[in-house]
Amino acid sequence: MVGLKRHRVNVSNVSKGYIDVVEALSEVRGGLVTARPKTDESIRRMELPAFLARALKDHFSQTVGEYVFQSPHGGPIRAASFRRRYWVPAVEASVGRPCRIHDLRHTHVAWLIASGVDPKSIARRLGHTSVSVVLDVYGHLFEGHDRAVATKLDELHSRGSVHFLFTPPTADVVPMRAV
């Protein structure tokens, strides 16, 4: 996020806001370097929820500069400085340590899973190369979703919407009998 440039964010229509993730900012030997993200899957468009698009639009109306989040001098924020000056004091005043910036990404995923978002959509949103990464790292959060699946199947069945699941009887199909 420290490398996100304003022109990569579109919030002109807050109900259809998005961020284009096409570059990353890294610190190399004390200098800041902009480069392509690690993988092709990391290059993506992320749709924004309207509340976040409104917040960014408001932020843009009050700030100027190339970066969405910038240092007091207008350039990009160095991650270590942000952590020391803002993150650690905020964490200590609220949830307490340990809480890393990267934990926000994990929280985002946990919310998506709890809301029933499918693993493929989560993987794409995070820029992962494979859905298996999501399942390996966050698979434990999917436990308990089987009851919701069973409930949805009951709803479909009660509406008569699952007839396509049943194989029509033919001469070569032997019906099952209760034993």
Side-chain angles (χ1 to χ4, degrees), residues 7-48:
H7 73 276
R8 303 289 188 200
V9 179
N10 184 326
V11 290
S12 57
N13 179 346
V14 294
S15 65
K16 295 183 180 181
Y18 60 86
I19 293 173
D20 285 327
V21 180
V22 297
E23 57 197 355
L25 185 71
S26 306
E27 194 163 344
V28 179
R29 293 187 209 106
L32 295 174
V33 177
T34 300
R36 284 178 51 88
K38 294 181 219 175
T39 66
D40 289 342
E41 288 79 7
S42 295
I43 298 171
R44 63 203 183 276
R45 175 165 285 176
M46 289 181 55
E47 304 292 331
L48 295 172

Side-chain angles (χ1 to χ4, degrees), residues 104-166:
L104 295 176
R105 182 175 168 95
H106 295 296
T107 300
H108 176 70
V109 174
W111 287 348
L112 294 176
I113 292 169
S115 299
V117 176
D118 65 278
K120 181 69 175 171
S121 296
I122 294 170
R124 175 156 168 39
R125 188 163 186 86
L126 296 178
H128 286 309
T129 56
S130 169
V131 71
S132 65
V133 174
V134 172
L135 295 173
D136 288 345
V137 175
Y138 303 102
H140 64 286
L141 297 177
F142 286 97
E143 293 172 9
H145 283 216
D146 199 40
R147 174 49 35 210
V149 171
T151 301
K152 288 185 187 299
L153 288 171
D154 271 337
E155 291 169 4
L156 286 170
H157 183 261
S158 67
R159 291 195 312 244
S161 302
V162 293
H163 64 279
F164 63 89
L165 293 176
F166 299 106

Side-chain angles (χ1 to χ4, degrees), residues 14-99:
V14 294
S15 65
K16 295 183 180 181
Y18 60 86
I19 293 173
D20 285 327
V21 180
V22 297
E23 57 197 355
L25 185 71
S26 306
E27 194 163 344
V28 179
R29 293 187 209 106
L32 295 174
V33 177
T34 300
R36 284 178 51 88
K38 294 181 219 175
T39 66
D40 289 342
E41 288 79 7
S42 295
I43 298 171
R44 63 203 183 276
R45 175 165 285 176
M46 289 181 55
E47 304 292 331
L48 295 172
F51 80 89
L52 185 53
R54 282 191 298 274
L56 285 169
K57 191 172 190 172
D58 182 52
H59 173 70
F60 290 162
S61 73
Q62 299 173 38
T63 60
V64 294
E66 181 180 11
Y67 293 91
V68 174
F69 308 105
Q70 51 198 358
S71 73
H73 306 292
I77 297 172
R78 291 180 179 268
S81 296
F82 174 78
R83 249 188 315 278
R84 185 180 69 256
R85 290 182 188 156
Y86 303 102
W87 182 258
V88 171
V91 164
E92 288 176 348
S94 58
V95 297
R97 290 187 188 206
C99 184

